[in-house]
């Protein structure tokens, strides 16, 4: 059998038009932070009766807090 490499998907950072190839994990759903956050710097995520905040820091990193 031939082994095939995993598919390569483009990744776009918020506010950027540059795309970088990143190997996708088979069966894993990938959502860009730009799609989650839109123009906001924070979104709330409801999970098992709790509310979490996903925030973008001043340095452009993501932080998830309860």
């Amino acid at each position: 059998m031939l082994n095939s490499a995993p598919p390569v998907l483009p990744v776009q950072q918020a506010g950027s038009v540059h795309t970088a190839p990143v190997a996708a994990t088979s069966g894993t759903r990938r959502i860009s932070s730009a799609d989650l956050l839109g123009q906001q710097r924070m979104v709330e995520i409801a999970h098992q009766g709790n509310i979490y905040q996903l925030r973008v820091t001043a340095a452009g990193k993501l932080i998830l807090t309860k």
Side-chain angles (χ1 to χ4, degrees), residues 29-65:
R29 184 173 167 204
R30 180 173 292 171
I31 303 170
S32 77
S33 59
D35 287 343
L36 282 174
L37 295 163
Q39 297 298 313
Q40 305 298 314
R41 300 210 35 101
M42 187 214 31
V43 294
E44 291 184 340
I45 301 169
H47 177 68
Q48 296 182 349
N50 294 303
I51 302 295
Y52 295 82
Q53 291 86 34
L54 179 65
R55 301 174 190 265
V56 179
T57 68
K61 307 291 183 179
L62 294 176
I63 296 179
L64 181 65
T65 56

